[in-house]
Amino acid sequence: MKEERVVQQEEGLAKPGQCYHCGDACDEHPIHFDEKEFCCDGCKTVYSILKENDLCTYYDLDSNPGITLKSKNFDDKYAYLDSEEIMRILLDFWDGDRAKATFYIPSIHCSSCIWLLENLYKLQEVVRISRVNFSKKELQVDFNP
């Protein structure tokens, strides 16, 4: 099955009507990109970021390991995190040049999530290291603020 998925990826033959990233059904207007179909811009964007950073081996972990966020509206939901007062409360450590934060991530559910979260440094150069504690459902990130 894994070999079949790899062949499908290499040939760009993901199932028609199914999102290449999350596996959800694409509606009557799928987004076509890189010879693949995506159900939303979010899934296409995640795929683009992974491809741009040579991280598409993520898809070897499982068939359609991603989670769709198309029904989520984030707008300015997290803008408050830019406040220095809030940062001091949320960060485990901060000295101006280095910061550490621990995030509770209750929706983590598979090895794909762990793999992506522990490879954040490849996507954002400010991330020095990120580690997942799956049993506690926590992510610790060491970064340059």
Side-chain angles (χ1 to χ4, degrees), residues 4 11 30 40 48 51 53-54 64 69 90 92-93 95 105 109 132 135:
E4 179 181 313
E11 296 176 359
C40 66
S48 298
K51 183 175 181 190
N53 291 279
D54 197 27
N64 305 108
L69 295 176
L90 294 177
D92 301 328
F93 174 83
D95 71 0
I105 44 177
H109 67 283
V132 172
S135 61

Side-chain angles (χ1 to χ4, degrees), residues 49-90:
I49 291 169
L50 292 172
K51 183 175 181 190
E52 181 179 304
N53 291 279
D54 197 27
L55 294 172
C56 281
T57 54
Y58 165 76
Y59 294 103
D60 294 343
L61 296 172
D62 193 10
S63 178
N64 305 108
I67 295 175
T68 184
L69 295 176
K70 64 183 167 190
S71 63
K72 304 288 185 189
N73 181 1
F74 295 110
D75 290 334
D76 292 328
K77 185 175 183 177
Y78 298 105
Y80 70 95
L81 294 172
D82 292 330
S83 161
E84 188 171 318
E85 181 181 336
I86 298 297
M87 282 192 277
R88 291 190 187 279
I89 293 168
L90 294 177

Side-chain angles (χ1 to χ4, degrees), residues 4-140:
E4 179 181 313
R5 175 70 178 150
V6 172
V7 169
Q8 286 180 339
Q9 283 178 259
E10 290 173 358
E11 296 176 359
L13 299 175
K15 296 176 186 174
Q18 185 179 25
C19 179
Y20 184 80
H21 178 71
C22 73
D24 280 0
C26 296
D27 62 15
E28 60 273 0
H29 304 290
I31 297 168
H32 296 276
F33 177 75
D34 201 25
E35 298 180 16
K36 293 165 182 49
E37 288 185 358
F38 298 91
C39 65
C40 66
D41 283 317
C43 286
K44 182 193 94 170
T45 300
V46 171
Y47 168 80
S48 298
I49 291 169
L50 292 172
K51 183 175 181 190
E52 181 179 304
N53 291 279
D54 197 27
L55 294 172
C56 281
T57 54
Y58 165 76
Y59 294 103
D60 294 343
L61 296 172
D62 193 10
S63 178
N64 305 108
I67 295 175
T68 184
L69 295 176
K70 64 183 167 190
S71 63
K72 304 288 185 189
N73 181 1
F74 295 110
D75 290 334
D76 292 328
K77 185 175 183 177
Y78 298 105
Y80 70 95
L81 294 172
D82 292 330
S83 161
E84 188 171 318
E85 181 181 336
I86 298 297
M87 282 192 277
R88 291 190 187 279
I89 293 168
L90 294 177
L91 295 176
D92 301 328
F93 174 83
W94 183 23
D95 71 0
D97 295 320
R98 186 175 188 178
K100 289 185 179 184
T102 303
F103 300 96
Y104 177 62
I105 44 177
S107 62
I108 190 170
H109 67 283
C110 64
S111 59
S112 299
C113 296
I114 295 169
W115 189 90
L116 275 177
L117 291 170
E118 290 194 344
N119 280 278
L120 290 176
Y121 70 96
K122 294 180 180 178
L123 301 175
Q124 289 291 322
E125 64 184 34
V126 297
V127 175
R128 292 184 169 124
I129 191 166
S130 54
R131 289 288 175 245
V132 172
N133 183 326
F134 187 74
S135 61
K136 289 184 175 181
K137 298 196 179 290
E138 290 180 346
L139 168 68
Q140 186 174 52

